[in-house]
Amino acid sequence: MKRLAVIARLRERVQERAAELLAQGPPFDPREIGFERHSVYMSGDQVVFVFEGGDLDRLLRTVVKDAGGSEAFSRWEDLVEGVPRVAQEVYSWERGDEWPEGWGE
């Protein structure tokens, strides 16, 4: 499974509106599109959307091209400052994984 995060900086004094949008849940059905997991984190002036699934490029294109997705993104335009950044996963650990040799020495 692949993970990807989209990080957006919020404009000043829009955190309450961002929290309201997030409380409505995603503007798409993550299960129907094919995601395994989707979560959102908010901290001060940043919001982080985390997507998990198989072919993330295809899944995210599906969300962006979907009419409901386009409408939902337009609701964020006035809240987000600049262009959101995409962060690729570079490290992950799960219980059951062996601890890598050499780390923590």
Side-chain angles (χ1 to χ4, degrees):
M1 179 167 27
K2 296 181 181 180
R3 294 178 189 95
L4 177 126
V6 177
I7 305 161
R9 181 170 303 281
L10 297 173
R11 296 181 190 277
E12 290 185 27
R13 297 182 291 279
V14 300
Q15 287 81 3
E16 186 175 322
R17 178 66 184 131
E20 290 171 1
L21 285 176
L22 293 171
Q24 295 172 17
F28 54 88
D29 183 343
R31 181 179 307 157
E32 182 179 301
I33 290 176
F35 289 107
E36 294 296 322
R37 289 190 190 97
H38 172 50
S39 54
V40 182
Y41 300 85
M42 210 165 108
S43 176
D45 67 346
Q46 291 190 333
V47 62
V48 180
F49 301 86
V50 179
F51 300 93
E52 299 181 49
D55 185 358
L56 284 178
D57 289 337
R58 181 186 59 76
L59 296 175
L60 289 172
R61 276 195 308 273
T62 301
V63 169
V64 172
K65 288 181 180 179
D66 176 65
S70 298
E71 177 186 326
F73 291 123
S74 68
R75 288 185 267 169
W76 283 92
E77 285 178 1
D78 292 339
L79 306 181
V80 173
E81 184 176 296
V83 177
R85 297 170 311 191
V86 174
Q88 301 286 336
E89 180 179 67
V90 294
Y91 172 78
S92 176
W93 176 88
E94 290 184 33
R95 184 171 301 280
D97 289 350
E98 291 297 320
W99 190 255
E101 294 285 328
W103 266 54
E105 294 180 359

